[in-house]
Amino acid sequence: MMIRALLFVLVCVSGNVTAGVIDFDFESAMSVVTENTWTAGTDDLDTWYAPHSTNSSSEAAFSIENGVINLDHDNRNHYRSMLYAIALPDAGTYELLLETLYSNYSNQLNYWQVFAANDGATFNLRSLTWSTVPTSATRLTRDYAPDDGSENGVDFIGYSNEFSISEADFASYDYLVLALTGSRNSSQMLQFDNLSISEVPEPGSLALCVVAALAMTGLRRRQNSKI
């Protein structure tokens, strides 16, 4: 019976509380649409967008290969952004998880942002700066890879960022937009992997699951005692 109770807790947590929003499997083939801008309500959802490579007008600046997102080198070391958008999920608290590697903090950019957006919000994937918030959009969170000695171009470092979608946000916006931004030259690396956005369970919801499981255990014990 204890096993059944524990299974109940796991089902409660995984089924109704921590619904996944974005969970990328980069081992699978994923195409990238090559456009210098993405406009909410006009361009596709559930699709990666990236600007044209400055080295080749027919290729995207980002690619998904060997299980990771890779930023192609730019001889002028310009920063570029890769974008993915979905329908805005329900109000709640969410967690962005990702891993990234890069080579040099002093002359590379490596940051990521999450926005809520409405129809008409246009994101320029060649000029989405740290401070840019497009019209008809609001920023929910942002972060960057710090100068902590991990930038060796070899090792992936994991990062976690929590953000909230308020009831007002849910009433005002239609889309959730993730943007990854970086720069690199031919001697550097910049990659992303193991990227996901999931809803964070509310403490009260978890407590209810545990209480319900314990109640089931107690009920079963009482039933057994009467036999």
Side-chain angles (χ1 to χ4, degrees):
M1 183 61 199
M2 182 60 71
I3 293 176
R4 290 178 58 187
L6 290 174
L7 287 174
F8 176 83
V9 174
L10 291 175
V11 170
C12 185
V13 171
S14 62
N16 296 324
V17 181
T18 57
V21 178
I22 297 178
D23 190 3
F24 293 108
D25 176 13
F26 294 128
E27 301 301 328
S28 304
M30 298 183 72
S31 60
V32 179
V33 175
T34 307
E35 295 287 351
N36 290 331
T37 62
W38 180 87
T39 300
T42 300
D43 292 315
D44 291 337
L45 301 179
D46 305 304
T47 303
W48 282 109
Y49 281 77
H52 289 83
S53 169
T54 57
N55 305 313
S56 171
S57 59
S58 62
E59 296 180 359
F62 287 83
S63 60
I64 300 175
E65 54 189 24
N66 300 321
V68 299
I69 293 177
N70 182 67
L71 173 62
D72 296 334
H73 77 270
D74 183 325
N75 294 327
R76 288 169 286 181
N77 207 29
H78 290 165
Y79 61 89
R80 290 144 298 159
S81 299
M82 192 172 184
L83 180 147
Y84 194 95
I86 62 172
L88 189 71
D90 292 341
T93 301
Y94 294 84
E95 182 180 36
L96 166 65
L97 296 174
L98 62 81
E99 294 180 3
T100 183
L101 69 79
Y102 72 118
S103 302
N104 193 322
Y105 179 84
S106 64
N107 64 1
Q108 268 190 283
L109 295 175
N110 185 3
Y111 57 89
W112 47 93
Q113 304 181 78
V114 178
F115 302 87
N118 267 335
D119 286 349
T122 297
F123 293 76
N124 190 320
L125 304 183
R126 284 187 164 181
S127 61
L128 189 60
T129 68
W130 177 256
S131 58
T132 299
V133 178
T135 302
S136 299
T138 186
R139 183 188 293 112
L140 300 176
T141 190
R142 63 180 176 179
D143 201 0
Y144 65 95
D147 182 14
D148 59 3
S150 64
E151 60 278 14
N152 57 18
V154 177
D155 298 318
F156 279 95
I157 304 298
Y159 297 91
S160 170
N161 305 107
E162 282 195 5
F163 63 93
S164 296
I165 298 174
S166 67
E167 293 290 350
D169 292 331
F170 184 72
S172 301
Y173 296 97
D174 297 316
Y175 311 102
L176 186 72
V177 180
L178 168 67
L180 310 173
T181 302
S183 64
R184 60 164 285 211
N185 60 37
S186 59
S187 65
Q188 298 171 332
M189 293 294 294
L190 195 152
Q191 296 180 332
F192 295 92
D193 197 5
N194 294 328
L195 194 157
S196 66
I197 296 178
S198 298
E199 185 175 6
V200 176
E202 297 179 3
S205 299
L206 286 176
L208 286 174
C209 289
V210 173
V211 169
L214 292 175
M216 288 177 63
T217 303
L219 178 61
R220 181 61 177 174
R221 285 175 177 171
R222 286 194 296 272
Q223 290 174 339
N224 290 338
S225 67
K226 296 178 181 179
I227 296 175

